[in-house]
Structures are given as structure tokens and as C-alpha cells.
Amino acid sequence: SGHLSHYGIKSLQCKPTRILSQLPCNSSYQRRLFANKNMTVELDSNTGVAVIQMKNPPVNSLSLEFLTEFSISMEKLEMDRECRGVVITSSIPRIFSAGLDINEMYGKTPEHTGEFWRAVQEIWLNVYGSNLVTIAAINGASPAGGCLLAMACDYRIMADNPKYTIGLNETKLGIVAPFWFKDTMMSVIGRRATEHSLQLGIMYSASEALRNGLVDQLIAQDKIMPTALSVMSEWLAIPDHARQITKSMMRKPTLDRLLTNRESDIQNFVNFISKDSIQKSLQLYLEMLRQRKS
């Protein structure tokens, strides 16, 4: 319920419009850097653009600690009057985010599982409902929760590498993607493609993701960040209030659906993940990962 004020049109925090093509010389750049265990955040006060670099090795798993730090970082940027846009990317080679940390769901108490799922909801609410322009610079593989994080952004740029894949593959782990995962994907690629993707747990190659609209642009790996900043300049050329009201109009029904059903969604997840059959599936998956490492 604490998020309601973020998403109503009346609460939009309009910020002065600045165009990146009118930047001052490099010597006048004012950059502010803050970091925690799982990410670094750098805000350029002149451009109004922040870059969040995820750094939770080996694969940027979305642990409870990671999710909490990410949400706090987003909330800080949301309140910062100098910030107008955020680029989300990874500092780990070949991986954007491998998604939810299975260790947070296996062998844990219902209380812990509920706390974890609330944190998953929170990161989605903070990104999908942000007043800021959000761009995902997907510089590696992005399954499951990593795909959700990217889809929650306004624009997605992916490295043009046939080895990188993206998608919601929960069914392959014996897990069901919740309704707001489904709603997010459906708003990006449409109903039929979402139904096909979710039932089969499809992981799309970069070229397939572009073809079905899951990402907006493919670019060479070393051009991802310059491209993201260039695209950001186009978005920031639009007056904030007009863009924010339009974004709210498009996304508020989806946000409201989770906010209205938040507690039942948590309880449904806890009940589902606590089933013996699901715990067994997670155990087998973790054992497979350990065998790969060894």
C-alpha cells in the first residue's frame, strides 16, 4: 500500500526537462556514486541519468538481500530531484541476471518465503511503476526473474550475441509464473505469444527476442551503454509530466491488480512453494547446479 502514491497521476513528481544533446563539457560533469554489496549506482547530475550496475556474482541471482538493496536504490533515485532516468545493467560478463535465487525458496520457513516474495513484488513495483525513464541494457543471459526485471523497464536493449537468451522459463523448473509476471509479458509481446512462452518456458535467443518484441533493439556488446544513453536522451527530450501521465495511464491497471491482491499473492506463493513436490523439484535443480560447478 505504500506504493499507491507513486502511481497515481496526482502524485507524479515532474522534474525540469533537460536534453542530453545540450550537455556541458566533460570538465563540468558532476557524478555521484554510491554502492552496496550487490550493485553500484552512479548518477550524473548534469544529465539526470543514473546507471545501476548489478554485481552479485556469479550470476546476479535475485536473493532477498539483493532485492532489498535494489528497491532501496530505486527509491533513493525516485526521490532525487536531479534524477530523471535509470539504466539497469550488469557488471558480470555474459549475464544480466539469472533470476530468483532458488536458495531463498528451498528448505526455508513460510515466514522467510513470504518475506522473500514480498521483496520480489517490491522490486517489480519500484521498476514497473517508476516515474523515471527506465532502460534495461541487457548485456548477457536473462532468464526468469531477470527477464521480468527487463520487461518492467520502458525500453530494452540487448547484446547481439546468439549465446544470450531471455524469457520466463519457470515451468521448466516446475514453478508457475504468477499473474503479474504474465500480465507484464502480455503487455510487451501480446496474449498469444505470452501463452505460448509461459506454457513451454521458452528461452528466446537475442534475434528471436527482437522478432517477437521482447526486446526493442539489438546492438554489439561494446555499444550497449553508449546506445542506452543515446536512447535515454530521446526519452528525456519529452516533457516529464506528459510522459509520466501517459505511462501511468498504460500501467496503472496492472499495478493496481497486484496492489489489490498483494497479500493473497504472497500466501499463494508460500503455499505453492512449500509443497513437497515443488521442494523436491527445487532440490533436484540445486543438485544439478552443484554437479555443473564440480
Side-chain angles (χ1 to χ4, degrees), residues 184-197:
T184 307
M185 177 171 266
M186 198 160 66
S187 71
V188 174
I189 65 173
R191 184 179 185 87
R192 176 56 187 151
T194 296
E195 181 178 357
H196 188 226
S197 298

Side-chain angles (χ1 to χ4, degrees), residues 141-201:
S142 188
C147 177
L148 178 74
L149 179 59
M151 290 192 301
C153 293
D154 298 311
Y155 196 87
R156 285 160 292 283
I157 302 166
M158 189 170 184
D160 190 2
N161 187 323
K163 294 182 179 180
Y164 297 163
T165 57
I166 183 170
L168 296 180
N169 62 338
E170 279 78 359
T171 54
K172 290 183 176 177
L173 305 180
I175 301 174
V176 177
F179 70 88
W180 44 284
F181 282 50
K182 178 264 297 180
D183 288 348
T184 307
M185 177 171 266
M186 198 160 66
S187 71
V188 174
I189 65 173
R191 184 179 185 87
R192 176 56 187 151
T194 296
E195 181 178 357
H196 188 226
S197 298
L198 292 183
Q199 289 200 52
L200 297 180

